[in-house]
Amino acid sequence: MNAKQLVGEKATEYIQDGMIVGLGTGSTAYWAIQKIGQLVKEGLKIKGVPTSKATEQLANELNIPLLDVSEVRSIDVTIDGADEFDPNKQLIKGGGGALLREKIVARISKVFICIADANKSSEFLGSYPLPVEVTPFAYQITAYQLEQLGCKPTLRMKDDKPYITDNQNYIIDCKFERIDNPSELTVLLNQIPGVVENGLFANIATKIICNTEDGGIEVIE
Ligand code: 5RP
């Protein structure tokens, strides 16, 4: 079993009958969703809330009953991946472009379980360029203002065109040297008018489940 499958399946042990479950996005969340699909087939009664169109499609293929996020005010547990995490469980997310929906779902989740490869662990955030979702309108001004915060901004591209999110926005990947205070930076980023949301998940994760070198699992509480 690969590391992503290992941690993804482990996270599903926190799901119980009757729960509303936030379904993350990405290649690690994929394995958790596959396992949830299997458990639902075996009789588990849950309702899922997808964090992207891709996850919605996958969950539908697996016959996982879904709720639209507009129908819920609180989620029992969300399982989602990350691009980087630090020892304080602060995260960078959005490598897969789903950060806005992921953060909306995460913010109303009582428990947020992050599942990640151990090689995404860093002493300080910043090795991974921070994804920031921005409006297409005047994105050049937004990129300039992001640069003023001390990063190198790059507009994310796909097939020679700007990458478009599920919410019809752009993503600017911001390479900071080192992010010392994710909460403070979140406020600064979101004060820029063209910024819709940023990929810093500060003080959101309840636990991180990652693999260990010897093929085991570590749960960081
Ligand atoms: C998508 C995300 C993903 O959770 C993150 O990119 C990790 O993805 P993967 O599990 O494929 O490495 O934030 O927006």
Side-chain angles (χ1 to χ4, degrees), residues 89-102:
K89 293 181 292 187
Q90 313 289 22
L91 316 176
I92 286 182
K93 284 184 53 52
L99 67 100
L100 174 59
R101 295 186 186 199
E102 289 174 333

PDB file of all heavy atoms in Angstrom, residues 89-102:
ATOM      1  N   LYS A  89       1.062  22.245  13.166  1.00  0.00           N
ATOM      2  CA  LYS A  89      -0.111  21.848  12.361  1.00  0.00           C
ATOM      3  C   LYS A  89      -0.650  23.009  11.500  1.00  0.00           C
ATOM      4  O   LYS A  89      -1.824  23.059  11.175  1.00  0.00           O
ATOM      5  CB  LYS A  89      -1.244  21.288  13.243  1.00  0.00           C
ATOM      6  CG  LYS A  89      -0.894  19.962  13.909  1.00  0.00           C
ATOM      7  CD  LYS A  89      -2.050  19.454  14.749  1.00  0.00           C
ATOM      8  CE  LYS A  89      -2.260  20.333  15.935  1.00  0.00           C
ATOM      9  NZ  LYS A  89      -3.206  19.911  16.909  1.00  0.00           N
ATOM     10  N   GLN A  90       0.228  23.948  11.173  1.00  0.00           N
ATOM     11  CA  GLN A  90      -0.160  24.996  10.221  1.00  0.00           C
ATOM     12  C   GLN A  90       0.086  24.441   8.820  1.00  0.00           C
ATOM     13  O   GLN A  90       1.066  23.718   8.609  1.00  0.00           O
ATOM     14  CB  GLN A  90       0.668  26.276  10.431  1.00  0.00           C
ATOM     15  CG  GLN A  90       0.779  26.706  11.877  1.00  0.00           C
ATOM     16  CD  GLN A  90      -0.516  27.250  12.444  1.00  0.00           C
ATOM     17  OE1 GLN A  90      -1.609  26.970  11.952  1.00  0.00           O
ATOM     18  NE2 GLN A  90      -0.423  28.011  13.492  1.00  0.00           N
ATOM     19  N   LEU A  91      -0.799  24.779   7.894  1.00  0.00           N
ATOM     20  CA  LEU A  91      -0.737  24.137   6.571  1.00  0.00           C
ATOM     21  C   LEU A  91      -0.661  25.143   5.427  1.00  0.00           C
ATOM     22  O   LEU A  91      -1.190  26.257   5.543  1.00  0.00           O
ATOM     23  CB  LEU A  91      -2.011  23.302   6.324  1.00  0.00           C
ATOM     24  CG  LEU A  91      -2.551  22.407   7.433  1.00  0.00           C
ATOM     25  CD1 LEU A  91      -3.862  21.776   6.972  1.00  0.00           C
ATOM     26  CD2 LEU A  91      -1.537  21.356   7.810  1.00  0.00           C
ATOM     27  N   ILE A  92      -0.050  24.699   4.339  1.00  0.00           N
ATOM     28  CA  ILE A  92      -0.252  25.345   3.039  1.00  0.00           C
ATOM     29  C   ILE A  92      -1.061  24.374   2.200  1.00  0.00           C
ATOM     30  O   ILE A  92      -0.728  23.191   2.115  1.00  0.00           O
ATOM     31  CB  ILE A  92       1.086  25.670   2.337  1.00  0.00           C
ATOM     32  CG1 ILE A  92       1.764  26.858   3.024  1.00  0.00           C
ATOM     33  CG2 ILE A  92       0.860  25.964   0.852  1.00  0.00           C
ATOM     34  CD1 ILE A  92       3.084  27.287   2.382  1.00  0.00           C
ATOM     35  N   LYS A  93      -2.154  24.879   1.615  1.00  0.00           N
ATOM     36  CA  LYS A  93      -3.002  24.079   0.740  1.00  0.00           C
ATOM     37  C   LYS A  93      -3.271  24.857  -0.551  1.00  0.00           C
ATOM     38  O   LYS A  93      -2.994  26.040  -0.621  1.00  0.00           O
ATOM     39  CB  LYS A  93      -4.336  23.751   1.441  1.00  0.00           C
ATOM     40  CG  LYS A  93      -4.173  22.664   2.493  1.00  0.00           C
ATOM     41  CD  LYS A  93      -5.497  22.259   3.131  1.00  0.00           C
ATOM     42  CE  LYS A  93      -6.599  21.871   2.189  1.00  0.00           C
ATOM     43  NZ  LYS A  93      -6.251  20.840   1.196  1.00  0.00           N
ATOM     44  N   GLY A  94      -3.824  24.140  -1.527  1.00  0.00           N
ATOM     45  CA  GLY A  94      -4.215  24.815  -2.755  1.00  0.00           C
ATOM     46  C   GLY A  94      -3.382  24.430  -3.965  1.00  0.00           C
ATOM     47  O   GLY A  94      -3.601  24.950  -5.057  1.00  0.00           O
ATOM     48  N   GLY A  95      -2.453  23.481  -3.761  1.00  0.00           N
ATOM     49  CA  GLY A  95      -1.675  23.007  -4.907  1.00  0.00           C
ATOM     50  C   GLY A  95      -2.582  22.463  -6.000  1.00  0.00           C
ATOM     51  O   GLY A  95      -2.296  22.581  -7.193  1.00  0.00           O
ATOM     52  N   GLY A  96      -3.708  21.892  -5.578  1.00  0.00           N
ATOM     53  CA  GLY A  96      -4.673  21.362  -6.547  1.00  0.00           C
ATOM     54  C   GLY A  96      -5.704  22.397  -6.965  1.00  0.00           C
ATOM     55  O   GLY A  96      -6.634  22.086  -7.726  1.00  0.00           O
ATOM     56  N   GLY A  97      -5.575  23.611  -6.461  1.00  0.00           N
ATOM     57  CA  GLY A  97      -6.429  24.717  -6.898  1.00  0.00           C
ATOM     58  C   GLY A  97      -7.777  24.823  -6.213  1.00  0.00           C
ATOM     59  O   GLY A  97      -8.601  25.656  -6.595  1.00  0.00           O
ATOM     60  N   ALA A  98      -8.009  24.013  -5.170  1.00  0.00           N
ATOM     61  CA  ALA A  98      -9.354  23.984  -4.561  1.00  0.00           C
ATOM     62  C   ALA A  98      -9.410  24.727  -3.217  1.00  0.00           C
ATOM     63  O   ALA A  98     -10.329  24.525  -2.436  1.00  0.00           O
ATOM     64  CB  ALA A  98      -9.797  22.531  -4.371  1.00  0.00           C
ATOM     65  N   LEU A  99      -8.441  25.602  -2.975  1.00  0.00           N
ATOM     66  CA  LEU A  99      -8.284  26.154  -1.623  1.00  0.00           C
ATOM     67  C   LEU A  99      -9.499  26.904  -1.089  1.00  0.00           C
ATOM     68  O   LEU A  99      -9.790  26.838   0.113  1.00  0.00           O
ATOM     69  CB  LEU A  99      -7.038  27.041  -1.552  1.00  0.00           C
ATOM     70  CG  LEU A  99      -7.084  28.341  -2.368  1.00  0.00           C
ATOM     71  CD1 LEU A  99      -7.412  29.528  -1.501  1.00  0.00           C
ATOM     72  CD2 LEU A  99      -5.748  28.553  -3.054  1.00  0.00           C
ATOM     73  N   LEU A 100     -10.243  27.622  -1.942  1.00  0.00           N
ATOM     74  CA  LEU A 100     -11.366  28.413  -1.429  1.00  0.00           C
ATOM     75  C   LEU A 100     -12.458  27.496  -0.873  1.00  0.00           C
ATOM     76  O   LEU A 100     -12.892  27.656   0.277  1.00  0.00           O
ATOM     77  CB  LEU A 100     -11.934  29.309  -2.531  1.00  0.00           C
ATOM     78  CG  LEU A 100     -13.200  30.086  -2.145  1.00  0.00           C
ATOM     79  CD1 LEU A 100     -12.952  30.995  -0.949  1.00  0.00           C
ATOM     80  CD2 LEU A 100     -13.713  30.897  -3.331  1.00  0.00           C
ATOM     81  N   ARG A 101     -12.882  26.533  -1.678  1.00  0.00           N
ATOM     82  CA  ARG A 101     -13.935  25.617  -1.201  1.00  0.00           C
ATOM     83  C   ARG A 101     -13.421  24.791  -0.030  1.00  0.00           C
ATOM     84  O   ARG A 101     -14.157  24.505   0.919  1.00  0.00           O
ATOM     85  CB  ARG A 101     -14.420  24.720  -2.344  1.00  0.00           C
ATOM     86  CG  ARG A 101     -15.109  25.544  -3.423  1.00  0.00           C
ATOM     87  CD  ARG A 101     -15.739  24.688  -4.494  1.00  0.00           C
ATOM     88  NE  ARG A 101     -16.247  25.553  -5.544  1.00  0.00           N
ATOM     89  CZ  ARG A 101     -17.142  25.215  -6.436  1.00  0.00           C
ATOM     90  NH1 ARG A 101     -17.654  23.999  -6.421  1.00  0.00           N
ATOM     91  NH2 ARG A 101     -17.552  26.064  -7.357  1.00  0.00           N
ATOM     92  N   GLU A 102     -12.140  24.412  -0.105  1.00  0.00           N
ATOM     93  CA  GLU A 102     -11.556  23.638   0.996  1.00  0.00           C
ATOM     94  C   GLU A 102     -11.574  24.437   2.292  1.00  0.00           C
ATOM     95  O   GLU A 102     -11.869  23.904   3.364  1.00  0.00           O
ATOM     96  CB  GLU A 102     -10.111  23.242   0.654  1.00  0.00           C
ATOM     97  CG  GLU A 102     -10.033  22.177  -0.425  1.00  0.00           C
ATOM     98  CD  GLU A 102      -8.617  21.881  -0.870  1.00  0.00           C
ATOM     99  OE1 GLU A 102      -7.744  22.772  -0.770  1.00  0.00           O
ATOM    100  OE2 GLU A 102      -8.373  20.772  -1.337  1.00  0.00           O
TER     101      GLU A 102
END
